[in-house]
Amino acid sequence: MTISQISVFLENKAGQLADITGILSEKQVNMRAISIAETADYGILRLIVDDAPKASSILLEQGFILTMTPVVGVEVPDTPGGLSKVLGIISRAGIDIEYMYSVFGQKDGQACMIFRVADADGLTALLAENGIATIAGEDLGVH
């Protein structure tokens, strides 16, 4: 079970993030999670939104370069050590996490983390075997 993530490549200049969030706001696209990483030359904005196809189309029309990537939403106990437990299971299975970030809000007292791994289906199966729930896009208001 995966969720569609939009990765937007940005120039390292002031206002890029404000431009994108403004465009999405104007077009009534709601963000569920956001992460930004940078290098000396460019940034990568990662977004989970309520309507990824619509957001992608809008951003492409505005000249942004982007990709769509499948990611896994994972319920993490919102207690000390909750994330450590999940990461321990993943580590012992030898799965490399390319990156991760959190989602806005909680669901039933559980934090939600987004994981990018090479084998999303393998991660989903591993977590299920260990009693860790993944989150469907619908749980985040994503359609």
Side-chain angles (χ1 to χ4, degrees):
M1 177 178 356
T2 62
I3 297 168
S4 292
Q5 170 192 269
I6 301 169
S7 296
V8 185
F9 298 91
L10 303 175
E11 296 177 59
N12 272 352
K13 69 178 187 178
Q16 288 275 289
L17 190 55
D19 289 346
I20 288 176
T21 59
I23 290 165
L24 294 177
S25 172
E26 183 179 294
K27 299 294 185 175
Q28 300 297 302
V29 174
N30 196 5
M31 292 185 290
R32 302 296 187 204
I34 186 170
S35 172
I36 191 161
E38 67 172 291
T39 69
D41 299 322
Y42 63 92
I44 300 174
L45 173 66
R46 295 183 174 108
L47 298 167
I48 305 290
V49 297
D50 63 345
D51 191 336
K54 177 181 175 181
S56 296
S57 177
I58 291 165
L59 293 173
L60 287 169
E61 287 172 8
Q62 294 295 316
F64 290 98
I65 298 168
L66 60 88
T67 60
M68 297 280 280
T69 308
V71 294
V72 179
V74 179
E75 285 187 9
V76 177
D78 191 15
T79 59
L83 179 59
S84 180
K85 175 185 173 188
V86 173
L87 293 175
I89 292 167
I90 295 169
S91 175
R92 286 188 292 279
I95 295 174
D96 181 37
I97 298 169
E98 294 176 26
Y99 56 82
M100 64 180 229
Y101 55 94
S102 63
V103 172
F104 302 149
Q106 295 182 342
K107 179 181 176 279
D108 300 327
Q110 301 284 311
C112 177
M113 299 294 295
I114 299 295
F115 286 82
R116 170 68 174 147
V117 297
D119 181 6
D121 292 334
L123 175 61
T124 300
L126 171 71
L127 294 172
E129 290 168 11
N130 286 275
I132 307 231
T134 55
I135 297 174
E138 298 81 31
D139 295 328
L140 299 176
V142 174
H143 50 275

